[in-house]
Amino acid sequence: MVTYVGLMSFTDKGLQAIKDTTKRAAAAKEAAKKSGVNLRELVWTLGEYDLVSIIEADDEQALAAFSLATAMLGNVRFQTLRAFTASEMDAILAKLP
C-alpha cells in the first residue's frame, strides 16, 4: 500500500453543516474502504488546515478516485502528499550516489 497525508479545509458548505463533521468522517471511512483506500487516521486541527488524515491506498488511481469523490461532496477541499515510511526512505537513500 502507498501512504499519503491528506490536508483538508472546510468549504462554506462544510462549515454550514459543521455539526455533522464527525458523521461525514465516519461515512468517508466507509466509502474509502469501497475504493480500496484505508483512511487510517483523521484528526481535526487548528490552523491552515481543518483536517489532517493518514491514508493508505492500493495505488494512485484508488486515491485519486477517493479524493475526487470526497471533493465532489463539496464539504472540503482536499490536498494529498505522498508519504514514505522509514524503510521506504532507506530504500530511496540507498539509491543516492
Side-chain angles (χ1 to χ4, degrees):
M1 288 206 131
V2 182
T3 304
Y4 297 87
V5 174
L7 304 173
M8 292 158 276
S9 298
F10 289 122
T11 62
D12 289 341
K13 178 182 175 183
L15 286 172
Q16 289 172 359
I18 194 67
K19 289 183 178 182
D20 294 331
T21 187
T22 56
K23 292 175 187 168
R24 289 194 307 260
K29 282 189 175 193
E30 289 302 314
K33 287 179 189 176
K34 295 176 184 174
S35 300
V37 173
N38 177 23
L39 186 52
R40 193 171 82 196
E41 186 72 35
L42 178 66
V43 295
W44 287 258
T45 57
L46 299 175
E48 186 174 350
Y49 298 99
D50 299 309
L51 300 140
V52 176
S53 60
I54 304 296
I55 306 163
E56 297 170 329
D58 290 336
D59 53 43
E60 292 175 342
Q61 291 83 7
L63 177 73
F66 172 69
S67 298
L68 290 169
T70 300
M72 286 174 57
L73 297 174
N75 295 303
V76 293
R77 286 184 180 77
F78 206 102
Q79 180 180 15
T80 55
L81 306 169
R82 174 64 164 94
F84 300 94
T85 64
S87 62
E88 290 170 328
M89 194 64 199
D90 284 338
I92 292 167
L93 296 173
K95 296 179 181 186
L96 295 178

